[in-house]
């Protein structure tokens, strides 16, 4: 899915983040507000943080100065120019909460398209499809997998792609893989490189990847093939392709999808995202995080890729002393540019000197 093709970007939008803005459960909303190249967020709906500023809620001083309001009704009054309502929270159980229905209906009646990250596909329900048709609105269910006739097993055809491929993997879930991928993509564009990127989750699709799929909705046998097709499609138009990874190879619950992305994208290099203080896996406290060394060994054993750098949440200076790799924090001002230097040097491209470890 490429939402860029369906909107006059950036389209003014309302972001529904009820109960989760600034939290892990609202990571899609958080990402769309901070990074989307498809949607220009004009208001956020979250009754639990209404009246606060996104900078305070997200703890990001560079967050846009837009209102956080109590309801979709308030958002429509605040931003009557909105063209889309982005549902950026996936509630437990995946169903649409009853309390949200009237607000979403109001948005559709106001002519807003609905871009949904819910596990439930609104476009498949008569109520929503008929309401949208009656008000000249559209419904985009970004979690919907490709049609069956578009599914295939991986065949290695990605090897023929005429572009450098950089995959972001991680030591656990929720360690910043999507953010790292996007920040690298933006740094590459700022450096004048012909770069595109591939999303493998709903946030990346809403942020504006040139191609994407919610990979955990694809049948297991076909995940590598779907990723191959996404990478090839972006590589056809760009010299450098960044690919968002999911989970980690050492994660007992989710390693299958991680390996499929690694084999489907068959990257030239990998950037590894890590939260150095994390010892137990997110939502799986019974499992310990294996760490950078174990993840690196597996990546390089299971592919032809080289781990080129670490994207850390910690202090890069401290982390450089632990690993014989360049390290940067993409949340710091020069972090994305420093990480890009390591990527380019590993790819063999010329790059200016940087403070990133190993890039002198």
């Amino acid at each position: 899915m490429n939402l860029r093709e369906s909107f006059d970007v950036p389209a003014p939008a309302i972001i529904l983040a009820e109960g989760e803005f600034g939290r892990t459960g609202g990571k899609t909303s958080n990402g769309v507000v901070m990074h989307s190249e498809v949607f220009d967020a004009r208001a956020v709906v979250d009754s639990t943080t209404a009246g606060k500023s996104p900078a305070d809620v997200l703890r990001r001083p560079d967050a846009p100065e837009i209102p956080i309001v109590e309801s979709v009704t308030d958002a429509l009054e605040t931003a009557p120019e909105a063209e889309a309502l982005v549902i950026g929270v996936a509630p437990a159980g995946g169903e649409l909460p009853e309390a949200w229905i009237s607000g979403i209906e109001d948005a559709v009646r106001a002519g807003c398209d609905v871009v949904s990250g819910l596990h439930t596909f609104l476009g498949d329900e008569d109520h929503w499809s008929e309401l949208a048709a009656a008000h000249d609105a559209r419904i985009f269910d970004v979690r919907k997998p490709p049609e069956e006739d578009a599914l295939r097993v991986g065949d290695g055809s990605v090897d023929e792609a005429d572009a450098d491929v950089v995959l972001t993997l991680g030591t656990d879930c929720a360690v910043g893989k999507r953010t790292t991928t996007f920040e690298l993509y933006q740094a590459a564009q700022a450096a004048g490189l012909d770069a595109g990127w591939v999303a493998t989750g709903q946030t990346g699709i809403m942020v504006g990847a040139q191609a994407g799929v919610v990979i955990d909705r694809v049948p297991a046998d076909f995940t590598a093939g779907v990723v191959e097709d996404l990478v090839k499609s972006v590589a056809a138009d760009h010299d450098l392709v960044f690919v968002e990874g999911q989970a980690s190879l050492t994660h007992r619950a989710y390693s299958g999808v991680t390996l499929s992305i690694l084999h489907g994208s068959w990257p030239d290099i990998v950037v590894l995202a890590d939260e150095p203080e994390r010892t137990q896996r997110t939502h799986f406290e019974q499992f310990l995080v294996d760490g950078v060394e174990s993840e690196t060994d597996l990546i390089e054993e299971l592919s032809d890729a080289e781990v080129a750098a670490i994207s850390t949440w910690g202090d890069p200076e401290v982390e450089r002393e632990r690993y014989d790799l360049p390290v940067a924090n993409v949340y710091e001002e020069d972090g994305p540019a420093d990480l890009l230097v390591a990527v380019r040097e590993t790819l063999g491209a010329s790059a200016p000197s940087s403070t990133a470890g190993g890039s002198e």
Side-chain angles (χ1 to χ4, degrees):
M1 181 177 288
N2 180 355
L3 289 176
R4 293 172 182 266
E5 297 174 345
S6 299
F7 291 91
D8 184 9
V9 301
I14 294 166
I15 314 302
L16 178 56
E18 178 56 37
E20 295 290 350
F21 192 49
R23 303 176 183 177
T24 301
K27 65 180 183 179
T28 295
S29 300
N30 307 340
V32 171
V33 169
M34 287 299 304
H35 291 145
S36 185
E37 295 181 328
V38 176
F39 301 110
D40 178 13
R42 300 292 176 88
V44 175
V45 178
D46 177 21
S47 61
T48 64
T49 59
K52 298 182 180 180
S53 72
D56 289 339
V57 175
L58 297 175
R59 296 178 293 280
R60 292 286 298 269
D62 56 337
E65 296 182 4
I66 58 175
I68 305 174
V69 298
E70 291 269 354
S71 67
V72 174
T73 299
D74 292 338
L76 290 167
E77 292 176 357
T78 300
E81 73 282 7
E83 298 175 6
L85 174 72
V86 176
I87 303 176
V89 178
E95 300 294 328
L96 176 64
E98 188 76 22
W100 295 5
I101 292 176
S102 63
I104 299 171
E105 289 174 337
D106 287 344
V108 175
R109 292 189 184 103
C112 289
D113 296 325
V114 177
V115 182
S116 172
L118 295 170
H119 291 274
T120 298
F121 301 146
L122 299 183
D124 289 347
E125 298 182 8
D126 290 343
H127 170 71
W128 294 108
S129 61
E130 292 171 2
L131 183 66
H135 296 278
D136 197 25
R138 300 170 296 174
I139 296 175
F140 297 88
D141 289 303
V142 298
R143 285 183 179 269
K144 203 164 191 177
E147 298 294 333
E148 286 189 11
D149 59 4
L151 298 176
R152 65 174 182 82
V153 298
D155 60 9
S157 56
V158 72
D159 297 354
E160 301 170 8
D162 188 20
D164 292 319
V165 178
V166 179
L167 172 63
T168 303
L169 291 178
T171 55
D172 192 21
C173 300
V175 290
K177 290 182 286 291
R178 197 275 308 163
T179 299
T180 296
T181 305
F182 179 78
E183 293 287 358
L184 276 170
Y185 156 73
Q186 282 212 315
Q189 287 210 319
L193 304 180
D194 181 12
W197 70 291
V198 170
T200 53
Q202 70 273 12
T203 306
I205 294 171
M206 293 181 184
V207 165
Q210 280 77 21
V213 70
V214 179
I215 199 67
D216 60 16
R217 296 306 298 262
V218 177
D221 280 354
F222 305 112
T223 50
V226 165
V227 172
E228 273 193 328
D229 286 339
L230 295 174
V231 172
K232 289 193 297 181
S233 70
V234 178
D237 297 320
H238 301 280
D239 298 330
L240 179 61
V241 180
F242 295 100
V243 182
E244 173 197 16
Q246 298 290 331
S248 74
L249 288 169
T250 56
H251 199 308
R252 288 174 59 183
Y254 300 129
S255 60
V257 72
T258 312
L259 183 60
S260 292
I261 295 171
L262 177 64
H263 283 172
S265 63
W266 203 246
D268 297 288
I269 65 171
V270 168
V271 173
L272 189 62
D274 177 56
E275 183 182 357
E277 301 304 317
R278 188 181 301 180
T279 58
Q280 295 169 296
R281 296 200 180 278
T282 300
H283 303 307
F284 292 86
E285 294 184 359
Q286 69 272 33
F287 299 146
L288 298 179
V289 175
D290 289 77
V292 168
E293 293 94 342
S294 295
E295 207 71 35
T296 298
D297 289 345
L298 281 172
I299 290 166
E300 296 185 348
E301 181 178 349
L302 293 169
S303 72
D304 289 342
E306 175 183 355
V307 176
I310 298 171
S311 173
T312 184
W313 283 18
D315 183 341
E317 294 292 342
V318 173
E319 297 307 302
R320 285 176 203 136
E321 295 179 2
R322 298 177 60 185
Y323 309 113
D324 186 24
L325 284 170
V327 182
N329 187 330
V330 296
Y331 295 98
E332 296 180 352
E333 183 177 358
D334 296 327
D338 287 346
L339 205 58
L340 180 64
V341 169
V343 166
R344 296 184 70 184
E345 289 186 345
T346 304
L347 288 172
S350 60
S353 62
S354 165
T355 56
S359 60
E360 296 296 322

